[in-house]
């Protein structure tokens, strides 16, 4: 009985000496992870022409470069950029053609719904695609 009392007092003193616990990041605990689905087509590589899933926070899914893709999305978020925004209609783009590859990205990123289409039909679209590598596997054909 005396040992149990000594243990209780020692535990209480150790807890008090450590100080109060920091508050739980409740918003982070309740937030759903980023979850995206990429559908690739006409890349010229039958292994790439398929659907990929990606989860970030924690990293998961069947994306072949999940860690790198999540890291790239984190970089873009830190820069305050929305990589899924379309090319502005008044943007002047070069008339180069990067091939018939297409990608559709749907899901949730950074708390926002995503429904974006990517092509390699001109310089602006090629740049937009390339800025998302490795999220979008190389669509160069």
């Amino acid at each position: 009985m005396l040992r149990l009392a000594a243990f209780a007092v020692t535990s209480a003193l150790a807890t008090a000496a450590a100080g109060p616990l920091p508050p739980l990041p409740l918003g982070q605990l309740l937030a759903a992870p980023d979850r995206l689905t990429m559908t690739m087509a006409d890349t010229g590589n039958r292994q790439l022409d398929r659907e990929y899933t990606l989860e970030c926070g924690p990293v998961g899914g069947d994306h072949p470069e999940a860690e790198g893709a999540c890291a790239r999305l984190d970089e873009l978020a830190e820069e305050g950029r929305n990589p899924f925004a379309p090319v502005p209609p008044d943007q002047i783009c070069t008339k180069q053609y990067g091939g018939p590859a297409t990608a559709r990205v749907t899901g949730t990123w950074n708390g926002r719904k995503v429904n974006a289409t990517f092509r390699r039909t001109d310089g602006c679209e090629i740049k937009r695609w390339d800025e998302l590598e490795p999220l979008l596997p190389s669509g160069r054909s």
Side-chain angles (χ1 to χ4, degrees), residues 23-108:
L24 290 175
L26 201 49
Q28 289 177 353
L29 291 175
L30 297 176
D34 290 338
R35 180 173 293 148
L36 298 170
T37 300
M38 285 74 54
T39 305
M40 305 283 294
D42 300 321
T43 65
N45 180 341
R46 285 188 292 163
Q47 292 179 335
L48 290 180
D49 287 348
R50 66 182 188 91
E51 186 174 281
Y52 301 90
T53 59
L54 175 70
E55 289 186 10
C56 300
V59 174
D62 65 354
H63 191 284
E65 294 184 52
E67 297 233 354
C70 289
R72 181 64 182 139
L73 288 172
D74 287 345
E75 287 174 19
L76 294 167
E78 287 174 13
E79 294 170 8
R81 295 173 51 198
N82 178 0
F84 304 109
V87 174
D90 60 346
Q91 180 72 41
I92 297 173
C93 304
T94 62
K95 295 292 182 188
Q96 70 190 97
Y97 180 68
T102 62
R104 182 162 183 227
V105 182
T106 58
T108 305

Side-chain angles (χ1 to χ4, degrees), residues 68-69 71-73 75-76 79 81-85 87 118 120 123-136 140:
R72 181 64 182 139
L73 288 172
E75 287 174 19
L76 294 167
E79 294 170 8
R81 295 173 51 198
N82 178 0
F84 304 109
V87 174
F118 293 82
R120 300 182 66 79
C124 294
E125 291 289 350
I126 292 169
K127 180 181 183 225
R128 185 171 166 247
W129 183 303
D130 289 348
E131 286 181 345
L132 270 178
E133 285 186 36
L135 175 73
L136 297 179
R140 294 175 185 94

